[in-house]
Amino acid sequence: MRRINNPLLSLTAIGIVLILLVLLVGWVYRDIKTTRLRIGADQKIDITPQQIQSIKEIGEWEFLSISDEEMVDTIRHGIFSDDHLVRIYYGTMRLGVNLKQVEPGWIVTRGDTIEITLPQISLLDHDFIDEARTKSFYESGSWTAKDREAMLRKAYQMMLRRGMTRQNLQIAEQNGQGQVRQVMQGMGFKHVKILYKE
Amino acid sequence: MSVPADTLPSLVTHIRQCSRIYTTEYKIHKIVTHDDVIRLKGTFLAQDFNLKMPLGDRKIAIPMDATLKTYIDMSNFSERNVEKTDGKIIIILPDPQVIMTSSKIDQKNIKEYIGLVRSHFTDAEMTNYERQGRAAIIESIPQLNILHTAQENAARVLVPLIKQMGYQEEDIIIQFRKEYGLRDLQSLIHLDIEHEKNQ
């Protein structure tokens, strides 16, 4: 067998091998550089239906709405550290009159004069907290349904204290008189007298 | 607990004078579910992959109730909304609107399944799912055929009131602007969007 002993040929072969090696390393490096890894979970809820549980005819005339935000916190003392939970609750109190509570003869007309006796201004709906809008502001430790229910009750009382003031009730009364007068004048009554039931 | 002062949200009370007659109340029930699976996603050697990790799953179901109410805004009511001819009175009412007035999470009946190596759902995660559930209820309003009932109930509330003014029931006509299409319905859903944007 004849042996090739040409140094030029050997150098060329080594050069080709080196070039191939560089290309291979470059290709692997490029792919490694574009490699992306991420561990995580989708935070979207599943699509589920909603059901109408009841439909009710109501007659509530609202004159004042008070939208409130309350930050409620709770603390649990531990041996080594304390646990905290801070949540922000949102709610809207609606003040007005319930037209289902009017008494017979609440409207008296004489020519172009009308006299209306409205029920007392009250909170139209005692369920006024939009709990599904609640924001979790700070949490350490684990908390139960009972803890969250207690916080909701606390938020409810805080909102009532802030919203159901004598001043707000008076504003609602005054606005109610103005609004009912406007509607009655629109209906053609020149003289409108509005009273609230004692 | 130390919370940086600049992260404290500003808590605001908004007081607004209004004149709205609420005519219909809807109670809506929804169970919000979330299936929390840890996945390894990425690209390797130009190939995309998405693998379920053997770390255990978490699942949660949150029952919630919401109250929707329809109302007629009477704040711009004037003689332009009233026509009187031949002893009859025609009241032309503005468009009914829909609002979510309250929502309630059934905390006691929340069900969780937590895999062995997973942590419990945090309060922030749960409130996030609840807010998504609330948004899903609002998005479904146009399919609930609420506004037709709102119109009927507005008449039921106003006709007795006008009867007290001396009109016969057959002489009272309550009219609305027009029939509503799906596009109209979207615009009549009143949301506290501005309020939420500020959060």
Side-chain angles (χ1 to χ4, degrees):
Chain A
M1 197 173 71
R2 202 173 131 235
R3 197 174 163 196
I4 300 166
N5 200 6
N6 185 342
L8 195 64
L9 206 62
S10 302
L11 278 174
T12 308
I14 291 166
I16 288 168
V17 169
L18 278 173
I19 287 165
L20 284 175
L21 209 66
V22 167
L23 285 174
L24 185 72
V25 168
W27 180 68
V28 169
Y29 176 74
R30 193 200 64 193
D31 271 343
I32 287 172
K33 215 177 157 190
T34 56
T35 296
R36 299 270 183 276
L37 285 177
R38 188 169 64 85
I39 294 177
D42 191 355
Q43 288 301 308
K44 283 185 182 164
I45 59 167
D46 306 323
I47 297 166
T48 53
Q50 36 269 322
Q51 301 163 333
I52 298 179
Q53 286 200 315
S54 67
I55 303 172
K56 195 168 91 182
E57 182 197 321
I58 54 172
E60 298 166 352
W61 200 335
E62 177 193 2
F63 301 127
L64 190 76
S65 79
I66 304 137
S67 300
D68 193 19
E69 306 173 8
E70 293 291 347
M71 186 153 67
V72 181
D73 63 337
T74 187
I75 188 166
R76 189 194 301 122
H77 296 288
I79 299 168
F80 301 108
S81 65
D82 298 339
D83 292 339
H84 297 266
L85 181 61
V86 185
R87 306 182 106 202
I88 300 166
Y89 288 90
Y90 298 87
T92 303
M93 288 159 277
R94 295 179 165 83
L95 303 184
V97 293
N98 192 337
L99 296 174
K100 302 276 177 190
Q101 291 172 355
V102 293
E103 292 184 353
W106 69 291
I107 294 180
V108 178
T109 56
R110 269 181 240 103
D112 60 356
T113 303
I114 188 165
E115 188 177 307
I116 298 175
T117 308
L118 293 170
Q120 278 208 329
I121 295 283
S122 63
L123 185 62
L124 292 173
D125 197 335
H126 288 267
D127 288 331
F128 56 78
I129 292 188
D130 195 350
E131 196 184 357
R133 256 180 88 186
T134 303
K135 259 188 166 178
S136 178
F137 185 66
Y138 181 84
E139 181 186 18
S140 65
S142 62
W143 299 88
T144 64
K146 216 174 166 184
D147 299 320
R148 289 187 180 88
E149 281 182 345
M151 289 179 84
L152 178 71
R153 284 196 296 274
K154 199 170 163 186
Y156 185 86
Q157 292 303 327
M158 288 165 83
M159 285 189 196
L160 277 183
R161 270 199 300 277
R162 200 184 295 271
M164 293 296 287
T165 61
R166 185 183 293 271
Q167 191 192 9
N168 284 344
L169 286 165
Q170 280 173 352
I171 295 170
E173 258 188 27
Q174 285 162 10
N175 187 45
Q177 283 183 329
Q179 297 294 342
V180 174
R181 179 170 286 111
Q182 184 187 320
V183 170
M184 293 307 150
Q185 284 173 343
M187 297 236 192
F189 294 98
K190 281 187 183 161
H191 306 288
V192 184
K193 189 177 175 187
I194 297 151
L195 302 165
Y196 287 99
K197 201 173 172 300
E198 289 294 316
Chain B
M1 177 186 61
S2 67
V3 177
D6 60 351
T7 63
L8 278 170
S10 58
L11 302 185
V12 194
T13 304
H14 298 277
I15 296 179
R16 192 189 60 227
Q17 294 191 20
C18 54
S19 178
R20 293 173 171 180
I21 298 183
Y22 291 87
T23 61
T24 316
E25 178 189 275
Y26 286 79
K27 294 278 184 195
I28 310 284
H29 180 71
K30 183 179 177 70
I31 299 174
V32 175
T33 62
H34 174 68
D35 197 350
D36 191 88
V37 177
I38 293 287
R39 305 194 81 90
L40 178 67
K41 292 179 188 175
T43 312
F44 184 67
L45 298 178
Q47 295 296 313
D48 291 336
F49 61 88
N50 183 349
L51 302 169
K52 187 179 166 185
M53 298 289 284
L55 297 172
D57 296 348
R58 292 192 306 175
K59 288 174 191 284
I60 189 164
I62 305 171
M64 61 188 281
D65 295 289
T67 305
L68 304 177
K69 286 185 183 180
T70 61
Y71 67 88
I72 308 288
D73 192 341
M74 302 294 277
S75 53
N76 293 317
F77 190 92
S78 68
E79 66 274 7
R80 280 174 299 168
N81 297 78
V82 182
E83 284 176 22
K84 289 178 182 174
T85 46
D86 305 329
K88 291 186 188 299
I89 184 167
I90 303 169
I91 309 286
I92 304 146
L93 291 176
D95 305 332
Q97 313 269 326
V98 188
I99 191 167
M100 183 183 279
T101 57
S102 71
S103 61
K104 176 97 184 72
I105 308 298
D106 187 356
Q107 300 282 358
K108 275 183 187 154
N109 288 311
I110 292 177
K111 302 289 178 210
E112 287 180 62
Y113 164 77
I114 311 290
L116 275 176
V117 292
R118 300 292 304 276
S119 60
H120 280 270
F121 285 97
T122 64
D123 194 53
E125 284 174 320
M126 285 166 69
T127 52
N128 175 27
Y129 306 143
E130 288 158 13
R131 289 166 83 90
Q132 287 186 53
R134 178 185 185 273
I137 292 175
I138 289 167
E139 278 170 25
S140 74
I141 289 174
Q143 281 93 51
L144 298 177
N145 194 26
I146 279 179
L147 293 174
H148 182 66
T149 317
Q151 290 182 342
E152 284 181 358
N153 283 350
R156 285 201 188 101
V157 170
L158 290 176
V159 167
L161 193 149
I162 300 165
K163 262 175 79 180
Q164 295 277 319
M165 296 174 192
Y167 288 92
Q168 296 297 312
E169 195 164 331
E170 56 271 22
D171 294 333
I172 305 165
I173 300 164
I174 306 287
Q175 278 186 357
F176 287 87
R177 193 177 58 124
K178 59 177 181 179
E179 287 296 313
Y180 297 98
L182 197 62
R183 188 172 292 178
D184 294 309
L185 292 174
Q186 292 283 9
S187 70
L188 298 175
I189 299 165
H190 178 91
L191 306 173
D192 290 330
I193 288 173
E194 282 184 18
H195 199 182
E196 286 184 9
K197 275 182 189 165
N198 295 331
Q199 289 174 36

